[in-house]
Amino acid sequence: MKAVRKIWLWLGVLVALSSTLAAGFLCAGHFLQAPARAPVKADLLAALGGDNGARADKALELYRKGFAPRVLLTGPDSHSKTRSAYLDFRARYLVENGVPEKALLFDRA
């Protein structure tokens, strides 16, 4: 009988520990978020790479509202052959939507 109690006790501890770790993992993003602030005028907008294009959309929105006269586009983290194509695609998107080519800067490192 004592062996069965020990098994249930350890099973309960395992479930509690697993639940705590899962909750911590699922809520980790909330700890890393910075409080949202209203945008302010700047010298440069930076559209970081590595996303689905939402950052370029936001840069376009802020550019249209006059928050900065220039936009810096960065590529994905790797230095692969796709990097140039990725920058060109986003640059073409911005130019087609009203950002002058002379307002674009590129991170080609």
Side-chain angles (χ1 to χ4, degrees), residues 13-54:
V13 169
L14 182 63
V15 168
L17 183 60
S18 298
S19 299
T20 302
L21 290 174
F25 178 75
L26 294 174
C27 298
H30 296 288
F31 295 115
L32 301 174
Q33 285 180 335
R37 297 183 302 179
V40 295
K41 290 210 178 240
D43 297 326
L44 178 72
L45 297 169
L48 304 177
D51 70 331
N52 61 359

Side-chain angles (χ1 to χ4, degrees), residues 1-12:
M1 194 67 167
K2 285 188 175 185
V4 173
R5 279 190 195 166
K6 276 188 174 181
I7 291 173
W8 280 108
L9 176 66
W10 282 110
L11 185 60

Side-chain angles (χ1 to χ4, degrees), residues 40-47 67-73 103-105:
V40 295
K41 290 210 178 240
D43 297 326
L44 178 72
L45 297 169
F67 282 101
R70 304 199 77 185
V71 179
L72 170 67
L73 297 175
L104 296 177
L105 299 170

